Amino acid sequence: MYLTRRKVFGLYGILALFAVVITLMIGGYNFNKPGSTNRTSTTKPTQCTKRTNIAFLKVHKCGSTTMSNILHRFALRYNLNVVLPDKNGTRFWVLGLLDKDTHKKIIPVAKGEEYNILAVDTYYNKHIYEQLIPNHPFFLAIFREPVERYISYLFYHKNTRETLIQKMKTNPYIFHGYTGGAPPILNDFSFYVQNLSLIRFTERMDNEFDMIMVTEYFDQSLILLKRKLCWTLRDIIYITSNKNLKNSGYAMSPVDRQNIINHFKNDSIFYEHFKSKLFKELSKLGAGFLEELHQFKMILKLVKDYCTFVKKGDTSLVIPKSSWNQRFIVDPYECFIMQLTEFPLVQILQKRQHKLYYERSKP
């Protein structure tokens, strides 16, 4: 039996249509909603388990106090154990250099329990981090553009801040020829006590840290972190902490900016590496990531407005369900904790951790 030309072309047409359908399905086309794409493959992960063991390197003047607040509130919400200095008085919130005796300097946990969250001031020490949080912790840090971090550092400290404010009265270009007064960011990563080239050190940090956030892209970093940890939008809401409002009224020339970059050359190279890495990860996430980011920013605005004016006894803020979050509430107490500076929050956590230890150690 011979096929007519019409039948042959009809057969080719069916095959071509079938190929188009398969291509669209692979590409994520949503046949239930013409003109839209299926977001599930790029925006909503399949079943995953919320990660609760996190070692965070709190890098000075890089937005780390805000991130520390997020992590500590996460510990409160899910009743987790937190690594905290067991001391009062001077620098009670700081662990600093870590060594083989660090476990003697922190508030203990009950027998059979482990620590979950490390988010106080330390210098990076992978070996001790893994001893403190032994159950495969997620290694996290944050890094800031070195010039902006340098400015923030100078205005944060009283002596340099007063010097700069005085200079501003006569000349806005206060950084002309000025590059002193701040340590390199890589001090916190313990770079200068290791006998490694910057290239080797950067490679090591790239391997050891699961993620290094970038301050200038804080919200983007948070959404990416949320996905890596299988958290919710509720888990990452925040109100900016330690934001320096006094560093205004100055100007910086291109020459002055380049001088600071040159002065912190290692920091600048390290920053560019991890900024580039972040951009590459974000570029793979598609339009769905931008939609989630937009929703997150809207939630942050609602939370900030509510928490700025809320009073004890007021009704809670209800965040309605969306494509990117379940319905949740923010009450006045969470606003209170969210807006605490580092020192009083650590004191609250210390009292709580002592209480947990004694209650869970009872026979």
Side-chain angles (χ1 to χ4, degrees):
M1 180 178 180
Y2 295 99
L3 294 174
T4 66
R5 181 176 299 179
R6 179 176 296 178
K7 289 181 178 179
V8 170
F9 284 140
L11 179 62
Y12 281 137
I14 292 171
L15 291 174
L17 179 61
F18 181 74
V20 169
V21 171
I22 294 297
T23 301
L24 289 172
M25 290 174 64
I26 294 173
Y29 188 83
N30 185 350
F31 289 92
N32 295 319
K33 187 177 180 181
S36 66
T37 57
N38 184 347
R39 300 183 303 185
T40 56
S41 62
T42 58
T43 61
K44 295 183 181 179
T46 55
Q47 291 295 323
C48 60
T49 302
K50 189 186 294 283
R51 297 191 64 172
T52 57
N53 297 317
I54 299 158
F56 174 56
L57 174 61
K58 191 174 180 295
V59 184
H60 293 89
K61 305 311 299 172
C62 291
S64 59
T65 298
T66 300
M67 192 62 223
S68 177
N69 184 284
I70 291 172
L71 293 170
H72 282 146
R73 285 187 292 110
F74 181 84
L76 291 173
R77 183 175 301 118
Y78 296 101
N79 204 27
L80 304 175
N81 287 314
V82 182
V83 177
L84 295 162
D86 192 6
K87 62 180 178 179
N88 299 308
T90 305
R91 296 171 67 79
F92 65 87
W93 63 94
V94 175
L95 272 178
L97 289 171
L98 306 178
D99 55 35
K100 60 183 178 62
D101 293 322
T102 295
H103 67 282
K104 301 176 183 178
K105 305 172 186 176
I106 59 179
I107 300 171
V109 293
K111 186 177 180 180
E113 295 192 6
E114 305 287 357
Y115 295 102
N116 304 106
I117 302 290
L118 168 63
V120 292
D121 285 276
T122 64
Y123 289 98
Y124 179 59
N125 185 318
K126 180 178 184 289
H127 179 63
I128 304 298
Y129 275 22
E130 290 176 330
Q131 285 184 352
L132 293 173
I133 306 181
N135 297 320
H136 307 290
F138 186 95
F139 275 56
L140 177 68
I142 188 167
F143 215 86
R144 188 175 187 177
E145 195 279 318
V147 175
E148 294 304 314
R149 185 263 183 178
Y150 175 69
I151 294 169
S152 178
Y153 189 96
L154 294 183
F155 276 99
Y156 178 76
H157 292 277
K158 182 178 179 181
N159 291 338
T160 50
R161 179 173 68 243
E162 291 180 349
T163 299
L164 294 174
I165 289 174
Q166 282 298 118
K167 290 182 70 174
M168 272 193 286
K169 292 178 180 179
T170 57
N171 185 358
Y173 289 92
I174 57 177
F175 296 103
H176 184 65
Y178 192 95
T179 53
I185 312 176
L186 286 177
N187 268 4
D188 290 352
F189 285 80
S190 302
F191 169 61
Y192 294 98
V193 298
Q194 301 190 40
N195 187 25
L196 286 175
S197 68
L198 180 61
I199 293 175
R200 289 290 304 278
F201 179 79
T202 302
E203 290 174 350
R204 174 177 289 185
M205 294 302 98
D206 209 342
N207 289 327
E208 292 182 2
F209 279 91
D210 295 285
M211 182 176 177
I212 295 183
M213 303 170 65
V214 177
T215 309
E216 287 71 28
Y217 303 93
F218 189 72
D219 289 348
Q220 291 89 336
S221 295
L222 271 179
I223 295 294
L224 182 60
L225 177 68
K226 164 195 163 290
R227 295 183 178 196
K228 289 175 181 285
L229 296 177
C230 200
W231 284 15
T232 66
L233 285 184
R234 184 193 178 191
D235 294 327
I236 60 171
I237 60 172
Y238 70 92
I239 296 174
T240 303
S241 301
N242 267 9
K243 189 170 183 179
N244 199 325
L245 301 177
K246 298 177 181 178
N247 57 338
S248 57
Y250 67 85
M252 181 178 289
S253 70
V255 172
D256 294 339
R257 175 171 287 274
Q258 189 59 50
N259 285 340
I260 296 171
I261 291 173
N262 293 342
H263 185 76
F264 295 101
K265 183 177 180 181
N266 290 338
D267 288 349
S268 299
I269 294 172
F270 193 87
Y271 171 80
E272 290 299 330
H273 172 83
F274 284 100
K275 184 183 73 171
S276 176
K277 181 178 181 180
L278 175 67
F279 285 1
K280 287 178 182 177
E281 288 194 77
L282 296 181
S283 69
K284 299 174 183 178
L285 298 179
F289 176 83
L290 296 178
E291 293 177 17
E292 185 175 12
L293 179 63
H294 176 77
Q295 174 68 8
F296 181 50
K297 288 180 178 293
M298 292 300 101
I299 290 174
L300 290 182
K301 179 67 168 62
L302 292 173
V303 170
K304 182 179 180 181
D305 288 349
Y306 171 75
C307 289
T308 299
F309 300 102
V310 71
K311 301 184 295 297
K312 186 177 180 180
D314 285 354
T315 58
S316 297
L317 169 69
V318 177
I319 302 297
K321 182 179 179 180
S322 78
S323 299
W324 305 104
N325 62 277
Q326 295 297 318
R327 177 185 182 274
F328 67 92
I329 65 170
V330 177
D331 59 27
Y333 182 72
E334 180 150 16
C335 288
F336 168 71
I337 296 294
M338 207 182 307
Q339 296 179 90
L340 282 179
T341 58
E342 179 179 15
F343 312 139
L345 179 55
V346 169
Q347 288 177 321
I348 289 173
L349 290 165
Q350 286 173 323
K351 291 178 181 178
R352 169 189 171 273
Q353 195 63 44
H354 276 297
K355 183 179 179 182
L356 286 177
Y357 171 67
Y358 290 122
E359 288 179 349
R360 295 173 177 177
S361 297
K362 292 178 181 178

